Amino acid sequence: MTQRILVVVMGLFAVCALYAQVDTASITGFVSDTSGAAVPNAKIIVTNVANGVQRSTSSGREGSYSVTALPPGSYTIEAQASGFSKYMQKNFGPRPVGQTVGADISL
């Protein structure tokens, strides 16, 4: 009986460990103007170079943004806000799994 319980408990730990593995990456950053002031509500578009899949978000009141759950790879980052020139950075990427890469943007 004790052996069965031990096997069940070890099986549950194995399943939990599989779910805990991370297979994505993230890009986070801050959007500012040339003086360093935050640019809220800037639209951020992150495009996977390999397959063209896009994810978008907007910068918050403090200018911060985050795009999570990205498959590792190369990305194009675009940002635009009213009254500013469009920003684009090509071949940027969180390559390793589980990595969070910082990408500050100056408009």
Side-chain angles (χ1 to χ4, degrees):
M1 180 74 163
T2 303
Q3 222 171 8
R4 286 184 189 168
I5 293 173
L6 182 59
V7 169
V8 169
V9 169
M10 291 185 71
L12 290 173
F13 279 124
V15 169
C16 290
L18 287 174
Y19 281 111
Q21 292 181 1
V22 176
D23 62 353
T24 61
S26 302
I27 299 174
T28 62
F30 180 79
V31 183
S32 62
D33 63 16
T34 55
S35 73
V39 177
N41 301 314
K43 182 172 177 132
I44 315 296
I45 301 171
V46 177
T47 305
N48 185 299
V49 173
N51 60 22
V53 173
Q54 293 186 334
R55 299 274 310 277
S56 63
T57 190
S58 295
S59 58
R61 286 189 314 193
E62 303 83 24
S64 62
Y65 76 94
S66 181
V67 183
T68 60
L70 296 169
S74 290
Y75 289 85
T76 297
I77 302 173
E78 298 175 70
Q80 37 188 29
S82 180
F84 293 93
S85 297
K86 184 177 179 179
Y87 169 93
M88 180 184 285
Q89 182 175 357
K90 295 183 178 183
N91 294 318
F92 183 86
R95 289 171 178 81
V97 169
Q99 184 180 20
T100 298
V101 178
D104 290 339
I105 296 170
S106 180
L107 298 178

Coordinates of all heavy atoms in Angstrom, one line a residue:
M1 N 0.8 -1.2 0.0 CA 0.0 0.0 0.0 C 0.9 1.3 0.0 O 0.6 2.2 -0.8 CB -0.9 0.0 1.2 CG -1.8 1.2 1.3 SD -3.1 1.0 0.1 CE -4.2 2.2 0.7
T2 N 1.9 1.3 0.9 CA 2.8 2.4 0.9 C 3.5 2.6 -0.4 O 3.7 3.8 -0.8 CB 3.8 2.3 2.1 OG1 3.1 2.1 3.3 CG2 4.6 3.5 2.2
Q3 N 3.9 1.5 -1.0 CA 4.6 1.6 -2.3 C 3.7 2.2 -3.4 O 4.1 3.0 -4.2 CB 5.0 0.2 -2.7 CG 6.4 0.2 -3.3 CD 6.9 -1.2 -3.5 OE1 6.2 -2.2 -3.3 NE2 8.2 -1.3 -3.8
R4 N 2.4 1.9 -3.4 CA 1.5 2.4 -4.4 C 1.3 3.9 -4.2 O 1.3 4.7 -5.1 CB 0.1 1.8 -4.2 CG 0.1 0.4 -4.8 CD -1.3 -0.2 -4.7 NE -1.3 -1.6 -5.1 CZ -2.3 -2.4 -4.9 NH1 -3.4 -1.9 -4.4 NH2 -2.2 -3.7 -5.3
I5 N 1.2 4.3 -2.9 CA 1.1 5.8 -2.6 C 2.3 6.5 -3.1 O 2.2 7.6 -3.7 CB 0.8 6.0 -1.1 CG1 -0.6 5.5 -0.8 CG2 0.9 7.5 -0.8 CD1 -0.9 5.5 0.7
L6 N 3.5 5.9 -2.8 CA 4.7 6.6 -3.3 C 4.8 6.7 -4.8 O 5.2 7.7 -5.3 CB 5.9 5.7 -2.8 CG 7.3 6.3 -3.1 CD1 7.5 7.7 -2.5 CD2 8.4 5.3 -2.6
V7 N 4.3 5.7 -5.5 CA 4.3 5.7 -7.0 C 3.4 6.8 -7.5 O 3.7 7.6 -8.4 CB 4.0 4.4 -7.6 CG1 3.7 4.5 -9.1 CG2 5.1 3.3 -7.3
V8 N 2.2 6.9 -6.9 CA 1.2 8.0 -7.3 C 1.8 9.4 -7.0 O 1.7 10.2 -7.8 CB -0.1 7.7 -6.5 CG1 -1.0 8.9 -6.7 CG2 -0.8 6.5 -7.0
V9 N 2.4 9.6 -5.8 CA 2.9 10.9 -5.5 C 4.1 11.2 -6.4 O 4.2 12.4 -6.9 CB 3.4 10.9 -4.0 CG1 4.3 12.1 -3.7 CG2 2.3 10.8 -3.1
M10 N 5.0 10.3 -6.7 CA 6.1 10.6 -7.7 C 5.5 10.9 -9.1 O 6.1 11.7 -9.8 CB 7.0 9.4 -7.7 CG 7.8 9.3 -6.4 SD 9.1 8.0 -6.4 CE 10.3 8.8 -7.5
G11 N 4.5 10.2 -9.5 CA 3.9 10.5 -10.8 C 3.3 11.9 -10.8 O 3.4 12.6 -11.8
L12 N 2.7 12.3 -9.7 CA 2.1 13.7 -9.7 C 3.3 14.7 -9.7 O 3.1 15.8 -10.4 CB 1.3 13.9 -8.4 CG 0.0 13.2 -8.3 CD1 -0.6 13.3 -7.0 CD2 -0.9 13.7 -9.4
F13 N 4.4 14.5 -9.1 CA 5.5 15.4 -9.2 C 6.1 15.5 -10.6 O 6.4 16.5 -11.0 CB 6.6 14.9 -8.2 CG 6.4 15.4 -6.8 CD1 6.4 14.4 -5.8 CD2 6.2 16.7 -6.5 CE1 6.2 14.8 -4.4 CE2 6.0 17.1 -5.2 CZ 6.0 16.2 -4.1
A14 N 6.1 14.3 -11.3 CA 6.6 14.3 -12.6 C 5.7 15.1 -13.5 O 6.2 15.9 -14.4 CB 6.7 12.9 -13.1
V15 N 4.4 15.0 -13.4 CA 3.5 15.8 -14.2 C 3.6 17.3 -13.9 O 3.6 18.1 -14.8 CB 2.0 15.3 -14.0 CG1 1.0 16.3 -14.6 CG2 1.8 13.9 -14.5
C16 N 3.7 17.6 -12.6 CA 3.9 19.1 -12.3 C 5.2 19.6 -12.9 O 5.2 20.8 -13.3 CB 3.9 19.2 -10.8 SG 2.3 18.9 -10.0
A17 N 6.2 18.8 -12.9 CA 7.5 19.3 -13.4 C 7.4 19.6 -14.9 O 8.0 20.5 -15.4 CB 8.6 18.3 -13.1
L18 N 6.7 18.7 -15.6 CA 6.5 18.9 -17.0 C 5.7 20.2 -17.3 O 6.1 21.0 -18.2 CB 5.7 17.8 -17.7 CG 6.5 16.5 -17.8 CD1 5.6 15.4 -18.3 CD2 7.7 16.6 -18.7
Y19 N 4.7 20.5 -16.5 CA 4.0 21.8 -16.7 C 4.8 23.0 -16.4 O 4.5 24.1 -16.9 CB 2.7 21.8 -15.9 CG 1.6 20.9 -16.6 CD1 1.2 19.8 -16.1 CD2 1.0 21.4 -17.8 CE1 0.2 19.0 -16.7 CE2 0.1 20.6 -18.4 CZ -0.4 19.4 -17.9 OH -1.3 18.7 -18.5
A20 N 5.7 22.9 -15.5 CA 6.5 24.0 -15.0 C 7.6 24.4 -16.0 O 8.1 25.5 -15.9 CB 7.2 23.7 -13.7
Q21 N 7.9 23.6 -17.0 CA 8.9 24.0 -18.0 C 8.4 25.1 -18.9 O 7.2 25.1 -19.3 CB 9.3 22.8 -18.9 CG 10.0 21.7 -18.1 CD 10.4 20.5 -18.9 OE1 10.1 20.5 -20.1 NE2 11.0 19.6 -18.3
V22 N 9.2 26.1 -19.2 CA 8.9 27.2 -20.0 C 9.4 27.0 -21.4 O 10.6 26.7 -21.6 CB 9.5 28.5 -19.4 CG1 9.2 29.7 -20.2 CG2 8.9 28.7 -18.0
D23 N 8.6 27.2 -22.4 CA 9.1 27.1 -23.8 C 8.8 28.4 -24.6 O 8.8 28.3 -25.8 CB 8.4 25.9 -24.4 CG 6.9 26.0 -24.6 OD1 6.3 27.0 -24.0 OD2 6.3 25.2 -25.2
T24 N 8.7 29.5 -23.9 CA 8.5 30.8 -24.6 C 9.5 31.8 -24.0 O 10.2 31.5 -23.0 CB 7.1 31.3 -24.4 OG1 6.8 31.5 -23.0 CG2 6.1 30.3 -25.0
A25 N 9.5 33.0 -24.6 CA 10.3 34.1 -24.2 C 9.5 35.3 -24.2 O 8.3 35.3 -24.6 CB 11.5 34.2 -25.1
S26 N 10.1 36.4 -23.7 CA 9.3 37.7 -23.6 C 10.2 38.9 -24.0 O 11.4 38.8 -23.9 CB 8.9 37.9 -22.1 OG 8.1 36.9 -21.7
I27 N 9.5 39.9 -24.5 CA 10.2 41.2 -24.8 C 9.5 42.3 -23.9 O 8.3 42.4 -23.9 CB 10.1 41.6 -26.3 CG1 10.8 40.5 -27.1 CG2 10.7 43.0 -26.5 CD1 10.6 40.8 -28.6
T28 N 10.3 43.0 -23.1 CA 9.8 44.1 -22.3 C 10.6 45.3 -22.5 O 11.7 45.2 -23.0 CB 9.8 43.7 -20.8 OG1 11.1 43.5 -20.4 CG2 9.0 42.5 -20.5
G29 N 10.0 46.5 -22.3 CA 10.8 47.7 -22.4 C 10.0 48.9 -22.0 O 8.9 48.9 -21.4
F30 N 10.6 50.1 -22.4 CA 10.0 51.4 -22.0 C 10.0 52.2 -23.3 O 11.0 52.2 -24.0 CB 11.0 52.0 -20.9 CG 10.5 53.3 -20.5 CD1 9.5 53.4 -19.5 CD2 11.2 54.5 -20.9 CE1 9.1 54.7 -19.1 CE2 10.8 55.7 -20.5 CZ 9.8 55.8 -19.5
V31 N 8.9 52.9 -23.5 CA 8.8 53.8 -24.7 C 8.9 55.2 -24.2 O 8.2 55.6 -23.3 CB 7.5 53.6 -25.4 CG1 7.4 54.5 -26.6 CG2 7.2 52.1 -25.8
S32 N 9.9 56.0 -24.8 CA 10.1 57.3 -24.4 C 10.3 58.2 -25.6 O 10.5 57.8 -26.7 CB 11.4 57.4 -23.5 OG 12.5 57.0 -24.2
D33 N 10.2 59.6 -25.3 CA 10.5 60.5 -26.4 C 12.0 60.8 -26.3 O 12.7 60.3 -25.5 CB 9.6 61.7 -26.3 CG 9.8 62.6 -25.0 OD1 10.8 62.3 -24.3 OD2 9.0 63.4 -24.7
T34 N 12.5 61.7 -27.1 CA 13.9 62.1 -27.2 C 14.4 62.7 -25.9 O 15.6 62.6 -25.6 CB 14.3 63.0 -28.4 OG1 13.4 64.1 -28.3 CG2 14.0 62.2 -29.7
S35 N 13.5 63.3 -25.1 CA 14.0 63.8 -23.8 C 14.0 62.8 -22.7 O 14.4 63.1 -21.6 CB 13.1 65.0 -23.4 OG 11.8 64.5 -23.0
G36 N 13.5 61.6 -23.0 CA 13.4 60.6 -21.9 C 12.1 60.5 -21.2 O 11.9 59.6 -20.4
A37 N 11.1 61.3 -21.6 CA 9.8 61.3 -21.0 C 9.0 60.1 -21.5 O 9.1 59.7 -22.7 CB 9.1 62.6 -21.2
A38 N 8.2 59.5 -20.6 CA 7.4 58.3 -21.0 C 6.4 58.7 -22.1 O 5.9 59.8 -22.1 CB 6.7 57.8 -19.8
V39 N 6.2 57.7 -23.0 CA 5.2 57.9 -24.1 C 4.1 56.8 -23.8 O 4.3 55.7 -24.1 CB 5.8 57.7 -25.5 CG1 4.7 57.8 -26.5 CG2 6.9 58.7 -25.8
P40 N 3.0 57.2 -23.2 CA 1.9 56.3 -22.9 C 1.1 56.0 -24.2 O 1.1 56.8 -25.2 CB 1.0 57.0 -21.9 CG 1.3 58.4 -22.1 CD 2.7 58.6 -22.7
N41 N 0.5 54.9 -24.2 CA -0.4 54.5 -25.3 C 0.2 54.3 -26.7 O -0.5 54.5 -27.7 CB -1.6 55.4 -25.4 CG -2.4 55.4 -24.1 OD1 -2.7 54.4 -23.6 ND2 -2.8 56.6 -23.7
A42 N 1.5 54.1 -26.7 CA 2.2 53.8 -28.0 C 1.8 52.4 -28.4 O 1.8 51.5 -27.5 CB 3.7 53.9 -27.9
K43 N 1.5 52.2 -29.6 CA 1.1 50.8 -30.1 C 2.4 50.1 -30.5 O 3.2 50.6 -31.2 CB 0.2 50.9 -31.3 CG -0.2 49.5 -31.8 CD -1.2 49.6 -32.9 CE -1.5 48.1 -33.3 NZ -2.9 47.8 -33.4
I44 N 2.6 48.9 -29.9 CA 3.8 48.1 -30.1 C 3.3 46.9 -30.9 O 2.4 46.2 -30.5 CB 4.4 47.6 -28.8 CG1 4.6 48.8 -27.8 CG2 5.7 46.9 -29.0 CD1 5.5 49.9 -28.2
I45 N 4.0 46.6 -32.0 CA 3.7 45.4 -32.8 C 5.0 44.6 -32.9 O 6.0 45.1 -33.3 CB 3.2 45.7 -34.2 CG1 1.9 46.5 -34.1 CG2 3.0 44.4 -35.0 CD1 1.4 47.1 -35.4
V46 N 4.9 43.3 -32.5 CA 6.1 42.4 -32.6 C 5.7 41.3 -33.6 O 4.7 40.6 -33.4 CB 6.4 41.8 -31.2 CG1 7.5 40.8 -31.2 CG2 6.7 42.9 -30.2
T47 N 6.6 41.2 -34.6 CA 6.3 40.2 -35.7 C 7.4 39.2 -35.7 O 8.6 39.5 -35.8 CB 6.2 41.0 -37.1 OG1 5.3 42.0 -37.0 CG2 5.9 40.0 -38.2
N48 N 7.0 37.9 -35.7 CA 8.0 36.8 -35.9 C 8.5 36.8 -37.3 O 7.7 36.7 -38.2 CB 7.3 35.5 -35.5 CG 8.2 34.3 -35.5 OD1 8.9 34.0 -36.5 ND2 8.4 33.7 -34.4
V49 N 9.8 36.9 -37.5 CA 10.4 37.0 -38.8 C 10.2 35.7 -39.6 O 9.9 35.7 -40.8 CB 11.9 37.3 -38.7 CG1 12.6 37.2 -40.1 CG2 12.1 38.7 -38.1
A50 N 10.2 34.5 -38.9 CA 10.1 33.2 -39.6 C 8.7 33.0 -40.1 O 8.6 32.4 -41.2 CB 10.6 32.1 -38.6
N51 N 7.7 33.3 -39.4 CA 6.3 32.9 -39.8 C 5.4 34.1 -40.0 O 4.2 33.9 -40.3 CB 5.8 31.9 -38.9 CG 5.6 32.4 -37.4 OD1 5.6 33.6 -37.2 ND2 5.6 31.4 -36.5
G52 N 5.8 35.3 -39.7 CA 4.9 36.5 -39.9 C 3.8 36.7 -38.8 O 3.0 37.6 -38.9
V53 N 3.8 35.8 -37.8 CA 2.8 36.0 -36.7 C 3.1 37.2 -35.9 O 4.2 37.5 -35.5 CB 2.8 34.7 -35.8 CG1 1.8 34.9 -34.6 CG2 2.3 33.5 -36.6
Q54 N 2.0 38.0 -35.7 CA 2.2 39.3 -35.0 C 1.5 39.3 -33.6 O 0.4 38.6 -33.5 CB 1.6 40.5 -35.8 CG 2.3 40.8 -37.1 CD 1.7 42.0 -37.7 OE1 0.5 42.4 -37.6 NE2 2.5 42.7 -38.5
R55 N 2.1 39.9 -32.7 CA 1.5 40.2 -31.3 C 1.6 41.7 -31.1 O 2.6 42.3 -31.5 CB 2.3 39.5 -30.3 CG 2.4 38.0 -30.4 CD 1.2 37.2 -29.8 NE 0.9 37.7 -28.4 CZ 1.5 37.2 -27.3 NH1 2.5 36.3 -27.4 NH2 1.2 37.7 -26.1
S56 N 0.5 42.2 -30.5 CA 0.6 43.7 -30.3 C 0.1 44.0 -28.9 O -0.5 43.2 -28.2 CB -0.3 44.4 -31.3 OG -1.7 44.0 -31.1
T57 N 0.6 45.2 -28.4 CA 0.2 45.7 -27.1 C 0.4 47.2 -27.1 O 0.8 47.7 -28.2 CB 1.1 45.0 -26.0 OG1 0.6 45.4 -24.7 CG2 2.6 45.5 -26.1
S58 N 0.1 47.8 -26.1 CA 0.3 49.3 -25.9 C 1.1 49.6 -24.7 O 1.0 48.9 -23.7 CB -1.1 50.0 -25.9 OG -1.8 49.8 -27.0
S59 N 1.9 50.7 -24.8 CA 2.6 51.1 -23.6 C 1.6 51.6 -22.5 O 0.6 52.2 -22.9 CB 3.7 52.1 -23.9 OG 3.1 53.2 -24.5
G60 N 2.0 51.4 -21.3 CA 1.2 51.9 -20.2 C 1.4 53.4 -19.9 O 2.2 54.1 -20.6
R61 N 0.8 53.9 -18.8 CA 0.9 55.3 -18.5 C 2.4 55.7 -18.2 O 2.8 56.8 -18.5 CB 0.1 55.6 -17.2 CG -1.3 55.7 -17.4 CD -2.0 56.2 -16.2 NE -1.6 55.5 -15.0 CZ -2.1 55.5 -13.8 NH1 -3.2 56.2 -13.7 NH2 -1.6 54.9 -12.8
E62 N 3.2 54.8 -17.7 CA 4.6 55.0 -17.4 C 5.5 54.7 -18.6 O 6.7 54.8 -18.5 CB 5.1 54.2 -16.2 CG 4.3 54.5 -15.0 CD 3.0 53.6 -14.9 OE1 3.0 52.6 -15.6 OE2 2.0 54.0 -14.2
G63 N 4.9 54.3 -19.8 CA 5.7 54.0 -21.0 C 6.1 52.6 -21.1 O 6.8 52.2 -22.0
S64 N 5.8 51.8 -20.1 CA 6.3 50.4 -20.1 C 5.4 49.5 -20.9 O 4.2 49.8 -21.1 CB 6.4 49.8 -18.7 OG 5.2 49.8 -18.1
Y65 N 6.0 48.4 -21.5 CA 5.2 47.5 -22.3 C 5.9 46.1 -22.1 O 7.0 46.0 -21.7 CB 5.2 47.8 -23.7 CG 6.5 47.5 -24.5 CD1 6.6 46.3 -25.2 CD2 7.5 48.4 -24.5 CE1 7.8 46.0 -25.8 CE2 8.7 48.2 -25.2 CZ 8.8 47.0 -25.8 OH 10.0 46.7 -26.5
S66 N 5.1 45.1 -22.4 CA 5.6 43.7 -22.3 C 4.8 42.8 -23.3 O 3.6 42.9 -23.3 CB 5.4 43.2 -20.8 OG 5.9 41.9 -20.7
V67 N 5.5 42.0 -24.0 CA 4.9 41.0 -24.9 C 5.5 39.7 -24.5 O 6.7 39.4 -24.5 CB 5.3 41.3 -26.4 CG1 4.6 40.3 -27.3 CG2 4.9 42.7 -26.8
T68 N 4.6 38.8 -24.0 CA 5.0 37.6 -23.4 C 4.6 36.4 -24.2 O 3.9 36.6 -25.2 CB 4.4 37.4 -22.0 OG1 3.0 37.4 -22.1 CG2 4.9 38.5 -21.0
A69 N 5.0 35.2 -23.8 CA 4.7 34.0 -24.5 C 5.0 33.9 -26.0 O 4.3 33.5 -26.8 CB 3.2 33.6 -24.3
L70 N 6.2 34.5 -26.3 CA 6.7 34.4 -27.7 C 7.6 33.2 -27.9 O 8.5 32.9 -27.1 CB 7.6 35.7 -27.9 CG 6.9 37.0 -27.8 CD1 7.9 38.2 -27.9 CD2 5.9 37.2 -29.0
P71 N 7.4 32.5 -29.0 CA 8.3 31.4 -29.3 C 9.7 32.0 -29.6 O 9.8 33.1 -30.2 CB 7.7 30.8 -30.6 CG 6.3 31.3 -30.6 CD 6.3 32.6 -29.9
P72 N 10.7 31.4 -29.1 CA 12.1 32.0 -29.3 C 12.3 32.1 -30.8 O 11.9 31.3 -31.6 CB 13.0 30.9 -28.7 CG 12.2 30.3 -27.7 CD 10.8 30.2 -28.2
G73 N 13.0 33.2 -31.2 CA 13.3 33.5 -32.6 C 13.6 34.9 -32.8 O 13.8 35.7 -31.9
S74 N 13.7 35.3 -34.1 CA 13.9 36.7 -34.4 C 12.6 37.4 -34.7 O 11.7 36.9 -35.3 CB 14.8 36.8 -35.7 OG 16.1 36.3 -35.4
Y75 N 12.6 38.7 -34.2 CA 11.4 39.5 -34.3 C 11.7 40.9 -34.9 O 12.8 41.4 -34.7 CB 10.7 39.6 -33.0 CG 10.1 38.4 -32.5 CD1 10.9 37.4 -31.8 CD2 8.8 38.1 -32.7 CE1 10.3 36.2 -31.4 CE2 8.2 36.9 -32.3 CZ 9.0 36.0 -31.7 OH 8.4 34.8 -31.3
T76 N 10.7 41.5 -35.5 CA 10.7 42.9 -35.9 C 9.8 43.6 -34.9 O 8.7 43.1 -34.6 CB 10.2 43.1 -37.3 OG1 11.0 42.4 -38.2 CG2 10.1 44.6 -37.6
I77 N 10.3 44.6 -34.3 CA 9.6 45.4 -33.3 C 9.2 46.8 -33.9 O 10.1 47.5 -34.4 CB 10.4 45.7 -32.0 CG1 10.8 44.4 -31.4 CG2 9.5 46.5 -31.0 CD1 11.7 44.5 -30.2
E78 N 8.0 47.1 -33.9 CA 7.5 48.4 -34.5 C 6.7 49.1 -33.3 O 6.1 48.5 -32.6 CB 6.6 48.2 -35.6 CG 7.2 47.5 -36.8 CD 6.2 47.3 -37.9 OE1 5.8 48.3 -38.6 OE2 5.9 46.1 -38.1
A79 N 6.9 50.4 -33.3 CA 6.1 51.2 -32.3 C 5.7 52.5 -33.0 O 6.5 53.1 -33.8 CB 7.0 51.5 -31.1
Q80 N 4.5 53.0 -32.7 CA 4.1 54.3 -33.2 C 3.1 54.9 -32.1 O 2.4 54.2 -31.4 CB 3.4 54.2 -34.5 CG 2.6 53.0 -34.8 CD 2.1 52.9 -36.3 OE1 2.8 53.4 -37.2 NE2 1.0 52.3 -36.5
A81 N 3.2 56.2 -32.1 CA 2.3 57.0 -31.2 C 2.0 58.3 -32.0 O 2.8 58.8 -32.7 CB 3.0 57.2 -29.9
S82 N 0.9 58.8 -31.7 CA 0.4 60.1 -32.3 C 1.5 61.2 -32.0 O 1.9 61.4 -30.9 CB -0.9 60.5 -31.7 OG -1.4 61.7 -32.3
G83 N 1.9 61.9 -33.1 CA 2.8 63.0 -33.0 C 4.3 62.6 -33.1 O 5.2 63.4 -33.0
F84 N 4.6 61.2 -33.3 CA 5.9 60.8 -33.3 C 6.2 60.0 -34.6 O 5.3 59.4 -35.2 CB 6.2 59.8 -32.1 CG 6.2 60.5 -30.8 CD1 5.0 60.5 -30.0 CD2 7.3 61.1 -30.3 CE1 5.0 61.1 -28.8 CE2 7.3 61.7 -29.0 CZ 6.1 61.7 -28.3
S85 N 7.5 59.9 -35.0 CA 7.8 59.1 -36.1 C 7.8 57.6 -35.7 O 7.9 57.3 -34.6 CB 9.3 59.4 -36.5 OG 9.4 60.7 -37.0
K86 N 7.5 56.8 -36.7 CA 7.4 55.3 -36.5 C 8.8 54.8 -36.2 O 9.8 55.2 -36.8 CB 6.8 54.7 -37.7 CG 6.6 53.2 -37.6 CD 6.0 52.6 -38.9 CE 5.7 51.2 -38.8 NZ 5.1 50.6 -40.0
Y87 N 8.9 53.8 -35.2 CA 10.1 53.1 -34.8 C 10.0 51.7 -35.4 O 9.0 51.1 -35.4 CB 10.2 53.1 -33.3 CG 11.3 52.2 -32.8 CD1 12.5 52.8 -32.5 CD2 11.0 50.9 -32.5 CE1 13.5 51.9 -31.9 CE2 12.0 50.1 -32.0 CZ 13.2 50.6 -31.7 OH 14.2 49.8 -31.2
M88 N 11.2 51.2 -35.9 CA 11.3 49.8 -36.3 C 12.7 49.3 -36.0 O 13.7 50.0 -36.3 CB 11.0 49.7 -37.8 CG 11.0 48.2 -38.2 SD 10.8 48.0 -40.0 CE 9.1 48.2 -40.1
Q89 N 12.7 48.1 -35.4 CA 14.0 47.4 -35.2 C 13.8 46.0 -35.7 O 12.9 45.3 -35.3 CB 14.4 47.4 -33.7 CG 15.7 46.7 -33.5 CD 16.2 46.7 -32.1 OE1 15.5 47.3 -31.2 NE2 17.3 46.1 -31.8
K90 N 14.6 45.6 -36.7 CA 14.5 44.3 -37.3 C 15.5 43.3 -36.7 O 16.5 43.7 -36.1 CB 14.9 44.4 -38.8 CG 13.8 45.2 -39.6 CD 14.2 45.2 -41.1 CE 13.1 46.0 -41.8 NZ 13.3 45.9 -43.2
N91 N 15.1 42.0 -36.8 CA 16.0 40.9 -36.3 C 16.4 41.0 -34.9 O 17.5 40.8 -34.5 CB 17.2 40.7 -37.2 CG 16.8 40.3 -38.6 OD1 16.0 39.5 -38.8 ND2 17.5 40.9 -39.6
F92 N 15.4 41.4 -34.1 CA 15.6 41.4 -32.6 C 15.0 40.2 -32.0 O 14.0 39.7 -32.5 CB 14.8 42.6 -32.0 CG 15.1 42.8 -30.6 CD1 16.1 43.5 -30.1 CD2 14.2 42.2 -29.7 CE1 16.3 43.6 -28.7 CE2 14.4 42.4 -28.3 CZ 15.5 43.1 -27.8
G93 N 15.6 39.6 -31.0 CA 15.0 38.4 -30.6 C 15.4 37.8 -29.3 O 16.6 37.8 -28.9
P94 N 14.4 37.3 -28.6 CA 14.7 36.4 -27.4 C 14.9 35.0 -28.0 O 14.0 34.3 -28.3 CB 13.4 36.5 -26.6 CG 12.3 36.8 -27.6 CD 13.0 37.6 -28.7
R95 N 16.1 34.7 -28.2 CA 16.4 33.4 -28.8 C 16.3 32.2 -27.8 O 15.7 31.2 -28.1 CB 17.8 33.4 -29.5 CG 17.7 34.3 -30.7 CD 19.1 34.5 -31.3 NE 19.0 35.3 -32.5 CZ 18.8 36.6 -32.6 NH1 18.8 37.3 -31.5 NH2 18.8 37.3 -33.7
P96 N 16.9 32.3 -26.7 CA 16.8 31.1 -25.8 C 15.4 31.1 -25.1 O 14.8 32.1 -24.8 CB 17.9 31.4 -24.7 CG 18.8 32.4 -25.3 CD 18.0 33.2 -26.2
V97 N 15.0 29.9 -24.9 CA 13.7 29.6 -24.2 C 13.8 30.2 -22.8 O 14.8 30.1 -22.1 CB 13.4 28.1 -24.1 CG1 12.2 27.8 -23.2 CG2 13.1 27.6 -25.5
G98 N 12.7 30.8 -22.3 CA 12.6 31.4 -21.0 C 13.3 32.7 -20.8 O 13.2 33.3 -19.7
Q99 N 13.9 33.3 -21.8 CA 14.6 34.6 -21.7 C 13.6 35.7 -21.8 O 12.7 35.7 -22.6 CB 15.7 34.7 -22.7 CG 16.5 35.9 -22.6 CD 17.6 36.0 -23.7 OE1 17.5 35.3 -24.8 NE2 18.6 36.8 -23.5
T100 N 13.9 36.8 -21.0 CA 13.2 38.0 -21.1 C 14.2 39.0 -21.6 O 15.2 39.2 -21.0 CB 12.6 38.5 -19.8 OG1 11.6 37.5 -19.4 CG2 11.9 39.9 -19.9
V101 N 13.9 39.6 -22.8 CA 14.9 40.6 -23.4 C 14.3 42.0 -23.3 O 13.1 42.2 -23.6 CB 15.1 40.2 -24.9 CG1 16.0 41.2 -25.5 CG2 15.6 38.8 -25.0
G102 N 15.1 42.9 -22.9 CA 14.7 44.3 -22.8 C 14.9 45.0 -24.2 O 15.9 44.8 -24.8
A103 N 13.9 45.8 -24.5 CA 14.0 46.5 -25.8 C 13.3 47.9 -25.5 O 12.1 48.1 -25.7 CB 13.2 45.8 -26.9
D104 N 14.1 48.8 -25.1 CA 13.6 50.2 -24.9 C 13.5 50.9 -26.2 O 14.3 50.7 -27.1 CB 14.5 51.0 -23.9 CG 14.5 50.5 -22.5 OD1 13.5 49.8 -22.1 OD2 15.4 50.7 -21.7
I105 N 12.5 51.7 -26.4 CA 12.2 52.4 -27.6 C 12.2 53.9 -27.4 O 11.5 54.4 -26.5 CB 10.8 51.9 -28.1 CG1 10.9 50.4 -28.4 CG2 10.4 52.7 -29.4 CD1 9.5 49.8 -28.7
S106 N 12.9 54.6 -28.3 CA 12.9 56.0 -28.3 C 12.2 56.5 -29.5 O 12.7 56.2 -30.6 CB 14.3 56.6 -28.2 OG 14.3 58.0 -28.2
L107 N 11.1 57.3 -29.4 CA 10.4 57.8 -30.5 C 10.8 59.2 -30.8 O 11.3 60.0 -30.0 CB 8.9 57.7 -30.3 CG 8.3 56.4 -30.1 CD1 6.8 56.4 -29.8 CD2 8.5 55.5 -31.3

